[in-house]
């Protein structure tokens, strides 16, 4: 029970890595709040995780949605001990094909969304709170077609370093988890035909020293470490959970 009685908020908590982390946090004794965009998926995930788990609907790219969600959290719980800013999308296209809308959408969700999630949570963050952003192993190397996605994820590493220093006075720790390829629904949402997804998956797999995709539960365990008192002296850092991909 590493998170006994902690109030833990997870954006993108209704699917993939966020949902696996919601299960893990709950098992470790936390009271979990899931934030997601799709009302049905959020409700289903909250029921699946069970217990007191609360589902809130918000589009993280809309600051007003985040304000409304954290207002509910303030009224119901009064504080946040763990903030997992994890919501994100991944779309790949070569430089020549990237439109303004394609660029703006990913920056709005992955960067602006994570940024204002932290800002709107800040008044509720308790002394000793832990904030974790989801970056990606792709922050560390060039992957053709991933220019927009990769820059959004790389931005979060500096955001964590900056906030770690800025919020240290309140004893708030800020870290990053950087997954490698993890088998989640994100690959099906990339807007690519199934054959292209299979091809991308094969190309990625060939670059992973441990020669397999990771499981969402493996990221959840790393996030739980960063969220817990086990990481009490860890701030401003990045935990790569990528099967060695960034080192190959
Ligand atoms: P997923 O698609 O299963 O989950 C993404 C979650 O984010 C969903 O719950 C979705 O509803 C939510 N979301 C997306 N846009 C949102 C918005 N505007 N407002 C609110 N919620 C929104 O994918 P996942 O693989 O679990 O991804 C989770 C995070 O992990 C993402 O930030 C992703 O970039 C990152 N990541 C994933 C992998 C991987 O291989 N799966 C690798 C590295 C990093």
């Amino acid at each position: 029970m590493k998170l006994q009685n902690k109030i833990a908020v997870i954006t993108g908590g209704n699917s993939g890595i966020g949902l696996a982390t919601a299960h893990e946090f709950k098992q470790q004794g936390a009271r979990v709040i899931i934030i997601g965009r799709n009302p049905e998926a959020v409700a289903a995930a909250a029921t699946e995780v069970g217990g007191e788990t609360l589902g809130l609907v918000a589009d993280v790219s809309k600051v007003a949605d985040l304000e409304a969600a954290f207002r509910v959290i303030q009224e119901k719980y009064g504080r946040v001990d763990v903030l997992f800013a994890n919501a994100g999308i991944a779309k790949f296209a070569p430089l020549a094909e990237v439109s303004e809308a394609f660029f703006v959408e990913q920056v709005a969700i992955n960067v602006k969304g994570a940024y204002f999630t932290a800002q709107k949570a800040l008044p509720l963050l308790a002394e000793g709170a832990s904030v974790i952003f989801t970056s990606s192993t792709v922050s560390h190397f060039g992957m053709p077609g991933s220019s927009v996605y990769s820059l959004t994820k790389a931005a979060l590493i500096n955001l964590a370093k900056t906030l770690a220093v800025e919020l240290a006075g309140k004893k708030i720790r800020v870290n990053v988890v950087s997954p490698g390829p993890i088998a989640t629904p994100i690959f099906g949402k990339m807007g690519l035909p199934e054959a292209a997804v299979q091809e991308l998956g094969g190309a990625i797999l060939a670059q992973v020293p441990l020669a397999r995709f990771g499981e969402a539960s493996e990221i959840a365990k790393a996030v739980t470490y960063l969220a817990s008192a086990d990481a009490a002296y860890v701030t401003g850092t990045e935990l790569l959970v990528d099967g060695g991909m960034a080192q190959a």
Side-chain angles (χ1 to χ4, degrees), residues 71-247:
R71 210 174 302 126
V72 173
I73 293 166
Q74 175 165 30
E75 283 160 13
K76 224 171 148 43
Y77 302 91
R79 68 171 206 279
V80 172
D81 300 301
V82 177
L83 176 66
F84 184 28
N86 162 75
I89 59 168
K91 292 192 178 165
F92 283 19
L95 175 63
E97 288 170 25
V98 169
S99 66
E100 184 179 1
F102 180 101
F103 184 95
V104 167
E105 183 192 20
Q106 287 192 86
V107 172
I109 295 174
N110 296 0
V111 181
K112 180 185 167 196
Y115 190 94
F116 285 99
T117 296
Q119 190 199 62
K120 297 308 163 197
L122 181 59
L124 296 182
L125 291 177
E127 188 167 307
S130 172
V131 177
I132 302 120
F133 293 105
T134 306
S135 179
S136 167
T137 188
V138 298
S139 298
H140 298 282
F141 50 85
M143 178 182 284
S146 82
S147 57
V148 180
Y149 178 71
S150 293
L151 73 83
T152 68
K153 291 297 169 180
L156 299 180
I157 296 176
N158 191 273
L159 177 60
K161 287 180 197 289
T162 302
L163 296 186
V165 177
E166 197 173 307
L167 304 181
K170 285 184 76 180
K171 306 282 181 263
I172 295 168
R173 298 182 297 105
V174 187
N175 292 291
V176 166
V177 67
S178 287
I182 309 298
T184 73
I186 204 167
F187 289 95
K189 302 175 190 167
M190 294 179 87
L192 298 173
E194 178 58 26
V197 173
Q198 292 298 335
E199 195 181 319
L200 177 66
I204 290 172
L205 195 56
Q207 295 173 49
V208 181
L210 290 182
R212 65 173 175 87
F213 271 58
E215 300 293 332
S217 61
E218 294 177 300
I219 306 302
K221 290 200 170 68
V223 175
T224 300
Y225 162 71
L226 292 171
S228 75
D230 286 348
Y233 201 49
V234 178
T235 195
T237 196
E238 178 192 20
L239 182 46
L240 277 154
V241 188
D242 69 345
M245 190 175 183
Q247 320 308 326

Side-chain angles (χ1 to χ4, degrees), residues 36-77:
R37 190 160 52 166
N38 177 315
E40 290 81 35
V42 168
T47 305
E48 180 189 313
V49 176
E52 277 185 70
T53 303
L54 176 70
L56 293 176
V57 177
D59 179 339
V60 298
S61 69
K62 295 185 177 145
V63 175
D65 278 17
L66 289 167
E67 280 170 347
F70 282 104
R71 210 174 302 126
V72 173
I73 293 166
Q74 175 165 30
E75 283 160 13
K76 224 171 148 43
Y77 302 91

